[in-house]
Amino acid sequence: DAEIAPEVAPVEGDVVVRKNRWSSFYQTNLELQLQVRGLDTIVIAGGSTDVGIASTVFAARDMDLGIVVVRDCCYSARGNNNEFFLERVFPRMARVMTVDEAVKLMTAA
């Protein structure tokens, strides 16, 4: 029942991968979509840092993908879980950065 926010709505040529489980990779074609485009890094953000984001990051790491977690675009309603994952868990397998840092990385010449 989730909807895509108008600010990030897909445009012509975008690929939309509908996920039904916590991981964006489980029973989706996301890995295939990345492979056919020659992409080896994902940038991830969203709600449920300790569930959906975590399971997707773990799966991506198992696939040897590069991972960027956008710190100020993640959220968890469960206590200090958001900070715990961003400070202690994700840095072991991903680059954790702010929106500004991620945009700079993607626009670097």
Side-chain angles (χ1 to χ4, degrees), residues 83-100:
E83 250 348 90
F84 176 79
F85 275 85
L86 293 170
E87 295 294 327
R88 308 266 323 262
V89 178
F90 295 155
R92 299 179 69 189
M93 61 193 84
R95 292 175 281 176
V96 179
M97 54 184 64
T98 66
V99 168
D100 292 337

Side-chain angles (χ1 to χ4, degrees), residues 39-91:
L39 301 173
D40 62 1
T41 302
I42 63 169
V43 177
I44 187 165
S48 197
T49 305
D50 48 344
V51 180
I53 292 175
S55 61
T56 298
V57 168
F58 296 149
R61 180 64 183 142
D62 289 343
M63 291 180 234
D64 294 323
L65 290 171
I67 307 159
V68 174
V69 179
V70 184
R71 166 183 297 285
D72 41 348
C73 293
C74 294
Y75 173 79
S76 175
R78 295 168 196 85
N80 69 344
N81 286 358
N82 194 61
E83 250 348 90
F84 176 79
F85 275 85
L86 293 170
E87 295 294 327
R88 308 266 323 262
V89 178
F90 295 155

